[in-house]
Amino acid sequence: MIKNLIKTAFRSLLKNKGFTILNALGLSVGLATCLLIIFYVVDEVSYDRYNTKADRIYRVTIEARLNGNAGSYATSEAPMKDALKSNFPQIEKIARLIPASNLFISPQKYYVRKGAENILEKNIVFSESGLFDVFTLPMIDGSPSTALNEPHSAVITESTAKKYFNKTDVVGQTLTLNDTSTYKITGVIKDIPAQSHFNYGIFLSFSTLPESRVNSWGFAGLHNYLLLKPGTNVKKLESEITKIDIKNSFSPSTWGSNGNYLRITLKPLLDIHLKSESIGELSQSGNMQYVYIFSVIAIFILLIACVNFMNLSTARSSNRAREVGVRKVLGSPRKYLMAQFLTESLLITFVSTVIALFLAWALMPLFNHMSGKDLSLTTQSLTWLLPSLLVIVLFIGFLAGAYPAFYLSAFRPIDVLKGKISTGFKGGALRSFLVVFQFSISIFLIIGTLVIYNQLNYIHSKSLGFDRSQVLVIKNANVLGNRAKILKQQLKQLPGVVNATMSSYQPTGDERLKTGLFPDKIIDIKKDVLSEFWSIDEDYMSTMGIRLVDGRNFSKQMATDSAAIIVNEAFVKKFGFKDPLNKIVYRDSYGIQPFHIVGVVKDFNFESLKDKISPLALVYAPDNGAINVKIHTADLANLMSKIENKWKELSPNQQFTYSFMDQDFDATYRAEQRIGTIFITFSTLAIVIACLGLFGLAAYAAEQRTKEIGIRKVLGANISTIVGMLSLDFIRLVLISILIATPLAWLVMQKWLQDFAYRTTIQWYTLAIAGATAIIIAFITISFQSIKAAIANPVDSLRSE
Amino acid sequence: MIKITNLEKFYRTEEVETIALNKLSMEVKTGEFVAIMGPSGCGKSTLLNILGMLDDPDEGSYVFNGIEVAHFTERKRADLRKHNIGFVFQSFNLIDELTVFENVELPLIYTGVPAAERVKRVEEVLDKMQIMHRRNHYPQQLSGGQQQRVAIARAVVNKPKLILADEPTGNLDSSNGNDVMELLTDLNEQGTTIIMVTHSEHDARYSHRIIRLLDGQTVMENIMI
């Protein structure tokens, strides 16, 4: 029986090659897209799952709001560990991670010696031995319980070991950092899986640092991870920890009034990657929203492909009707017929899945490039992929085949044999609905693509208030120490260099310093204005093209400028100054320091355009974190080598690392750009697949109406009338789709734009372009078939009747 | 074998009601060969469809082998049909995707005959119809006469008690047509009851009895000797 079913299905598919190819093509492309997205989604949701105790690990997160500034912080205070240990037996273990950027006494940048060269190592973190009890980081050499106990100990990953020593049995060897401090390697762990919210290569013992002895509640730069005992009441624990935290805060009475609050939440480890956007996260967070969006798009594309199958199957029902009729007259039960049609769709799905698997495999590098992921088809992924593919084949096979099976097998043999089903194409209300469904999705995606594209374009061309073009950023200039200033002066002499400035703080960088500034000498925490506080030199504004709107620039000649600040307009607004010049604000840091305002700059965007510009104070202080060089040259390569030579003269052992500011800027929006690219690709695919279906439908429609077309032509209809007649049916459906999809897309994209503080509006012509595109594409698709039908010799079609 | 009494069938469209069968009564005994004749639209095909249980009457009684089937459900009719009735059509109605052998085999699959038995019976009937050498061909590769022979083979493979033939020679030339009529006569002589709708007086002469219909009523019966 089954053999018979497969044989019949196979022959039927072979006989209708066009139909089979259209379906298989649509389904394979749809499934391949779906597979790639499944890989993406699986990758995103598998973050941190390598930890065997993942469900019991939580990160202490602080949620706070003070004077209108609300924030969620991934880090918490240093004494937290001891306080928790002594108060809560339900906490089994605590692990702490302290990234170098949170250090305030020790250096924030680390260079590891390899031979004669010092390599800037960003994958460094400080920690303690509890780390290996909480997280699953298998140690292949060394003792996990003691490895990070002693000062100057280091645990490194296998690939780090290979990088610096070309081998992995390196326990007992020494790492030299910043030329001055040495760390003994006490353990080598396996590489951390890519799906981890932290991915360090070097773990150094925190006890090495003076910060480890600062047990003050003012030091809140630590990531505290708790391993809870099974069955712990997390909510209760959170509120108890909150009490402790408030009690130890600088001003316990502040919280709970004026909308101010301070609370501790325990963020489940598995939520950190996708559902946490706290300040100070250890890695770029994923976005649950995008995971949802991509999943939905994948399902949509697959549905479009399934709809093709349903539509084409029922459209050619008249061709199959006679067969169904004969089979029924001969006594075929309905379920047998249904089984036969389902077999056909399962067979097609199976073949398409195999093709899709190859397609997905072939397109994986391209998709990785688009999504910024590093996905691969491994034997390990096959273990979950193959069973799920089987489920997909069955599901799609049934989904796509069920309706045709139901529809075709329901024919009454008497109607069929009498020729009543010959008009099988018409009266397909469901088919019309499905076409509308397909095109609504396609139009929705077109609009989405256009809006994203417009917004990205807008961001790109928006005047940011500073000039990011042709600015070379020389990083880690701090390794030069005092010589950084000499380098800056030397670079300024080079032909092709317009100007140069020295500062860690870049409008496009991530080096930031927030500090509280107060209007009065008597510090009242309620009047705190949280401001960016950047150390710059007198060349900063001219190099960066930042415009002064009031007052003056810093000057070497003014002795008092060390206590002067230049602020932005947002700052002035926040403090409510009518006449900001010479106003004094106070900073509470190792005593109260007064700063007088000497200038006001026009607001410039130094954060993502998703955020409003926040208050900024520029202070006149040496900071050798980086050197920005404004250049103007036709021969960039030549200038670059000259600049690098200058660097080498001053510092032969240090790596010359640099970037261009406009590239840094683009990097800020890489996530959006990726979404944009992926969106464009997906919507193109959706439209292509929908058009494949439309192409098939148009072919059948033309075939069904051959006789009608013949008669009309005999009666004098010309080609354009016929083409118009055949196209109109479909164009009407596309028009309905436009009516459905446009408002929906407008709403959804409007919501997406809300994320940006600076955004374009959705213009009416964007929507019009999307609609017109859909109509034109649909028309071209249909035209192939309708023109073919229209120019056929009417005698041929009439004679055959 | 068949007894119908006061059978009525209407076709309704939005405005008109057409009477296809008007209080028609007739009887067919086991072993008979009956031809039904009449002009286009007289109700011949409707009658044949009802007799073949492809359609149900609006009024009246239809007793088949002593069972009243006029108001049977589709499923029950289908069940009775596949075991008792074979069909031969003017346009052969062979399935293009299946070979000669597979076409003939179909009714046996649907009645649940085991595979080995099917092969035996199909080969037997193909041999009898002298188309054994074409067993692996597809219908399009055969002449009209050969196709109709396959269709007849398919109709008789299940050894039905009744064969309903709807203008079996309508698409054939006279020599092939005569062959087909000879085949049907042979089958009838071996005991199968045959009811045939035809336009051809020539073909009708092969039967025992001609029932002439006009406007859904019997107008005349000729007994052939």
Side-chain angles (χ1 to χ4, degrees):
Chain A
M1 186 75 157
I2 298 220
K3 204 178 113 200
N4 191 287
L5 281 175
I6 292 176
K7 186 171 67 186
T8 321
F10 192 67
R11 285 197 199 140
S12 164
L13 291 177
L14 270 190
K15 186 166 175 248
N16 299 287
K17 282 193 192 70
F19 162 85
T20 309
I21 288 170
L22 279 184
N23 269 324
L25 201 64
L27 263 183
S28 334
V29 175
L31 269 169
T33 317
C34 207
L35 279 178
L36 288 175
I37 295 178
I38 288 175
F39 267 89
Y40 176 90
V41 171
V42 165
D43 184 78
E44 283 287 288
V45 300
S46 62
Y47 265 71
D48 296 313
R49 285 188 199 276
Y50 68 90
N51 290 293
T52 50
K53 302 168 197 158
D55 55 326
R56 291 197 282 133
I57 305 174
Y58 294 81
R59 186 193 62 206
V60 178
T61 305
I62 297 180
E63 316 266 354
R65 182 186 159 101
L66 182 63
N67 303 335
N69 281 310
S72 156
Y73 301 85
T75 53
S76 43
E77 301 91 337
M80 182 70 84
K81 183 180 177 182
D82 291 336
L84 296 183
K85 248 186 176 168
S86 52
N87 283 309
F88 304 107
Q90 61 267 51
I91 298 173
E92 196 174 303
K93 279 281 175 194
I94 300 177
R96 303 196 291 186
L97 287 176
I98 305 95
S101 58
N102 292 358
L103 300 175
F104 58 101
I105 305 171
S106 312
Q108 298 191 332
K109 286 183 181 167
Y110 288 86
Y111 299 85
V112 178
R113 169 91 53 81
K114 184 188 183 186
E117 204 178 16
N118 277 324
I119 298 172
L120 176 64
E121 188 59 72
K122 288 193 165 165
N123 288 325
I124 281 191
V125 74
F126 290 88
S127 189
E128 300 154 324
S129 48
L131 180 72
F132 304 105
D133 296 320
V134 175
F135 296 101
T136 308
L137 303 169
M139 199 172 272
I140 53 174
D141 197 359
S143 156
S145 54
T146 58
L148 288 175
N149 280 358
E150 295 298 313
H152 294 280
S153 313
V155 171
I156 64 175
T157 59
E158 279 182 291
S159 50
T160 310
K162 281 183 198 139
K163 178 176 170 188
Y164 290 104
F165 301 99
N166 291 322
K167 56 180 183 178
T168 56
D169 54 333
V170 293
V171 169
Q173 304 259 27
T174 311
L175 282 177
T176 305
L177 271 64
N178 293 356
D179 283 332
T180 51
S181 57
T182 54
Y183 287 81
K184 198 177 133 200
I185 296 171
T186 53
V188 176
I189 56 170
K190 287 204 167 143
D191 283 355
I192 302 173
Q195 293 81 14
S196 174
H197 83 282
F198 62 82
N199 218 319
Y200 294 104
I202 301 178
F203 296 84
L204 302 175
S205 54
F206 184 45
S207 56
T208 317
L209 302 180
E211 281 89 343
S212 68
R213 291 172 287 282
V214 177
N215 209 19
S216 145
W217 286 87
F219 174 30
L222 300 90
H223 294 256
N224 281 296
Y225 296 90
L226 314 181
L227 176 64
L228 302 184
K229 289 187 177 151
T232 303
N233 182 340
V234 176
K235 282 271 161 277
K236 192 162 156 265
L237 187 59
E238 281 176 344
S239 71
E240 280 167 8
I241 302 177
T242 300
K243 279 180 208 148
I244 292 178
D245 206 49
I246 288 180
K247 196 178 79 192
N248 290 294
S249 69
F250 55 87
S251 170
S253 61
T254 312
W255 314 107
S257 60
N258 292 341
N260 294 335
Y261 61 77
L262 174 69
R263 58 172 173 259
I264 299 288
T265 53
L266 296 179
K267 185 62 92 179
L269 176 67
L270 296 182
D271 283 354
I272 290 178
H273 178 63
L274 284 175
K275 296 179 192 163
S276 175
E277 281 181 43
S278 301
I279 296 160
E281 292 286 357
L282 292 176
S283 65
Q284 172 83 41
S285 287
N287 191 327
M288 200 62 203
Q289 207 188 345
Y290 288 140
V291 170
Y292 287 139
I293 292 176
F294 285 169
S295 309
V296 167
I297 291 180
I299 291 170
F300 275 172
I301 289 186
L302 209 52
L303 277 180
I304 290 181
C306 288
V307 164
N308 277 356
F309 189 90
M310 293 196 229
N311 271 351
L312 293 177
S313 302
T314 53
R316 67 194 189 112
S317 61
S318 60
N319 301 13
R320 302 298 295 273
R322 200 176 61 92
E323 179 193 338
V324 172
V326 173
R327 282 180 184 270
K328 282 193 137 187
V329 167
L330 296 175
S332 170
R334 184 157 176 209
K335 60 175 187 237
Y336 187 98
L337 284 168
M338 290 179 79
Q340 193 200 329
F341 288 115
L342 281 177
T343 310
E344 275 179 35
S345 74
L346 283 172
L347 200 63
I348 255 193
T349 315
F350 177 74
V351 171
S352 307
T353 307
V354 174
I355 298 174
L357 203 56
F358 279 104
L359 264 179
W361 173 75
L363 294 175
M364 194 77 95
L366 190 70
F367 183 72
N368 279 340
H369 181 73
M370 267 166 44
S371 63
K373 285 259 170 210
D374 190 17
L375 310 171
S376 61
L377 197 66
T378 59
T379 43
Q380 199 241 330
S381 54
L382 282 179
T383 55
W384 59 260
L385 188 63
L386 289 181
S388 43
L389 275 180
L390 192 69
V391 174
I392 288 178
V393 169
L394 289 177
F395 180 73
I396 306 284
F398 276 102
L399 184 71
Y403 174 66
F406 195 78
Y407 175 79
L408 291 171
S409 65
F411 287 158
R412 278 159 48 87
I414 173 89
D415 294 342
V416 174
L417 298 175
K418 272 186 180 167
K420 273 194 190 161
I421 311 283
S422 66
T423 51
F425 186 79
K426 282 203 158 183
L430 182 76
R431 188 158 45 241
S432 303
F433 167 79
L434 290 174
V435 171
V436 168
F437 172 76
Q438 285 184 314
F439 269 82
S440 300
I441 294 175
S442 304
I443 293 162
F444 184 98
L445 291 176
I446 297 178
I447 295 175
T449 306
L450 287 177
V451 172
I452 291 176
Y453 182 80
N454 279 346
Q455 174 66 14
L456 289 178
N457 222 10
Y458 172 79
I459 289 174
H460 210 83
S461 56
K462 184 181 184 300
S463 166
L464 298 171
F466 67 93
D467 188 2
R468 66 180 186 275
S469 62
Q470 298 195 305
V471 177
L472 174 75
V473 182
I474 301 173
K475 294 176 172 174
N476 59 288
N478 56 317
V479 299
L480 302 178
N482 291 334
R483 285 164 298 164
K485 214 165 184 174
I486 302 169
L487 178 65
K488 178 193 151 187
Q489 292 310 328
Q490 288 182 347
L491 291 179
K492 274 176 99 167
Q493 310 302 321
L494 285 177
V497 171
V498 180
N499 212 337
T501 180
M502 202 170 76
S503 171
S504 299
Y505 302 95
Q506 312 292 343
T508 53
D510 47 16
E511 189 80 36
R512 292 288 180 264
L513 178 65
K514 272 190 198 277
T515 192
L517 291 174
F518 301 88
D520 308 305
K521 199 168 183 176
I522 311 296
I523 299 299
D524 177 359
I525 195 76
K526 295 196 176 85
K527 291 184 180 166
D528 178 17
V529 172
L530 194 63
S531 310
E532 289 290 339
F533 199 73
W534 297 1
S535 303
I536 62 164
D537 62 16
E538 69 280 0
D539 290 319
Y540 192 78
M541 287 190 286
S542 51
T543 307
M544 306 303 303
I546 296 167
R547 203 153 64 84
L548 200 63
V549 290
D550 200 1
R552 60 171 178 87
N553 191 3
F554 296 126
S555 163
K556 269 182 191 165
Q557 276 73 44
M558 303 289 286
T560 55
D561 267 7
S562 60
I565 52 171
I566 296 173
V567 300
N568 68 355
E569 293 165 319
F571 185 97
V572 174
K573 213 172 146 197
K574 188 85 184 174
F575 270 95
F577 292 141
K578 284 246 151 40
D579 179 21
L581 289 187
N582 297 318
K583 288 274 181 335
I584 296 174
V585 295
Y586 299 87
R587 182 180 185 214
D588 180 12
S589 166
Y590 307 105
I592 308 293
Q593 302 163 297
F595 288 94
H596 62 278
I597 299 172
V598 298
V600 178
V601 291
K602 191 152 182 51
D603 277 342
F604 61 94
N605 287 95
F606 51 85
E607 279 166 314
S608 157
L609 288 175
K610 285 184 167 182
D611 306 307
K612 286 272 181 207
I613 296 170
S614 56
L616 166 74
L618 301 167
V619 58
Y620 191 41
D623 181 301
N624 58 7
I627 296 175
N628 292 356
V629 188
K630 177 83 176 175
I631 54 178
H632 184 78
T633 177
D635 188 359
L636 183 65
N638 182 26
L639 181 60
M640 286 303 296
S641 74
K642 278 184 188 156
I643 292 175
E644 184 164 1
N645 283 340
K646 291 282 176 203
W647 170 276
K648 291 267 181 227
E649 280 170 25
L650 287 167
S651 171
N653 285 344
Q654 310 292 352
Q655 246 184 347
F656 177 63
T657 47
Y658 66 93
S659 64
F660 287 93
M661 194 167 261
D662 46 2
Q663 289 166 0
D664 292 347
F665 174 78
D666 289 343
T668 320
Y669 299 98
R670 192 142 296 153
E672 278 77 17
Q673 268 165 349
R674 283 187 182 136
I675 299 303
T677 325
I678 293 178
F679 231 82
I680 291 171
T681 315
F682 286 164
S683 45
T684 312
L685 279 176
I687 293 163
V688 166
I689 299 174
C691 281
L692 280 179
L694 199 60
F695 185 79
L697 278 186
Y700 283 111
E703 189 186 310
Q704 287 298 326
R705 298 172 75 172
T706 315
K707 189 179 173 193
E708 179 194 342
I709 294 166
I711 293 171
R712 282 175 188 269
K713 283 187 80 176
V714 169
L715 296 177
N718 59 24
I719 291 176
S720 59
T721 330
I722 304 273
V723 171
M725 179 189 85
L726 288 173
S727 309
L728 199 67
D729 281 352
F730 291 108
I731 297 299
R732 198 180 296 138
L733 297 180
V734 177
L735 284 174
I736 295 173
S737 313
I738 292 175
L739 288 181
I740 295 172
T742 307
L744 262 178
W746 185 84
L747 272 176
V748 172
M749 294 321 292
Q750 199 69 28
K751 201 160 178 324
W752 181 76
L753 283 175
Q754 297 299 321
D755 270 1
F756 291 86
Y758 300 90
R759 55 182 178 259
T760 52
T761 47
I762 303 176
Q763 302 290 348
W764 66 268
Y765 53 79
T766 307
L767 303 177
I769 288 171
T773 311
I775 291 179
I776 291 168
I777 293 176
F779 186 77
I780 292 171
T781 308
I782 301 160
S783 294
F784 277 109
Q785 299 297 343
S786 46
I787 290 174
K788 202 172 97 189
I791 58 178
N793 186 350
V795 178
D796 293 337
S797 62
L798 293 179
R799 195 168 48 198
S800 72
E801 283 293 316
Chain B
M1 168 177 252
I2 287 170
K3 185 173 166 43
I4 57 176
T5 329
N6 289 334
L7 212 59
E8 289 187 61
K9 182 76 182 174
F10 315 107
Y11 291 109
R12 292 179 190 88
T13 60
E14 276 166 34
E15 284 152 22
V16 237
E17 186 179 273
T18 319
I19 298 173
L21 295 178
N22 188 2
K23 295 198 182 305
L24 183 79
S25 301
M26 62 178 267
E27 199 170 342
V28 177
K29 295 208 165 57
T30 306
E32 265 197 299
F33 187 162
V34 178
I36 297 172
M37 296 192 74
S40 290
C42 71
K44 312 184 291 283
S45 294
T46 307
L47 176 62
L48 202 68
N49 287 332
I50 290 174
L51 289 176
M53 299 180 206
L54 295 172
D55 206 352
D56 50 353
D58 292 317
E59 293 292 337
S61 142
Y62 172 20
V63 176
F64 182 87
N65 266 349
I67 307 163
E68 174 58 69
V69 297
H71 301 292
F72 261 29
T73 61
E74 165 89 30
R75 180 191 288 266
K76 274 176 134 179
R77 277 192 273 138
D79 208 44
L80 199 58
R81 182 172 70 222
K82 71 181 172 193
H83 287 105
N84 292 294
I85 306 175
F87 291 87
V88 178
F89 304 95
Q90 175 180 357
S91 52
F92 323 135
N93 279 334
L94 298 174
I95 293 174
D96 294 338
E97 286 83 16
L98 302 182
T99 62
V100 164
F101 183 92
E102 287 159 350
N103 262 293
V104 177
E105 189 189 16
L106 269 184
L108 298 175
I109 293 176
Y110 295 142
T111 44
V113 177
E117 170 78 9
R118 290 206 298 266
V119 173
K120 209 182 104 219
R121 277 166 66 176
V122 172
E123 284 181 349
E124 209 175 275
V125 72
L126 288 179
D127 201 40
K128 204 158 107 187
M129 299 290 157
Q130 295 165 14
I131 39 175
M132 193 57 183
H133 58 296
R134 294 287 202 176
R135 57 176 290 172
N136 290 326
H137 287 75
Y138 287 91
Q140 312 88 286
Q141 299 168 310
L142 305 180
S143 73
Q146 285 170 327
Q147 288 194 41
Q148 192 61 300
R149 265 211 285 252
V150 175
I152 293 174
R154 190 177 63 181
V156 300
V157 71
N158 234 347
K159 302 201 165 85
K161 298 186 179 67
L162 173 67
I163 286 181
L164 296 175
D166 192 353
E167 301 204 34
T169 63
N171 281 6
L172 301 175
D173 59 39
S174 61
S175 136
N176 272 317
N178 284 341
D179 285 353
V180 164
M181 288 317 298
E182 294 293 345
L183 262 174
L184 289 177
T185 311
D186 286 351
L187 286 169
N188 178 246
E189 278 165 5
Q190 286 156 34
T192 314
T193 312
I194 294 177
I195 301 176
M196 171 179 76
V197 165
T198 185
H199 276 296
S200 154
E201 293 286 349
H202 172 81
D203 287 356
R205 275 200 281 279
Y206 286 89
S207 70
H208 304 156
R209 179 157 66 106
I210 301 174
I211 297 174
R212 293 185 191 270
L213 294 186
L214 185 66
D215 297 340
Q217 285 176 304
T218 316
V219 289
M220 197 196 287
E221 284 201 28
N222 310 44
I223 309 291
M224 316 295 287
I225 305 155

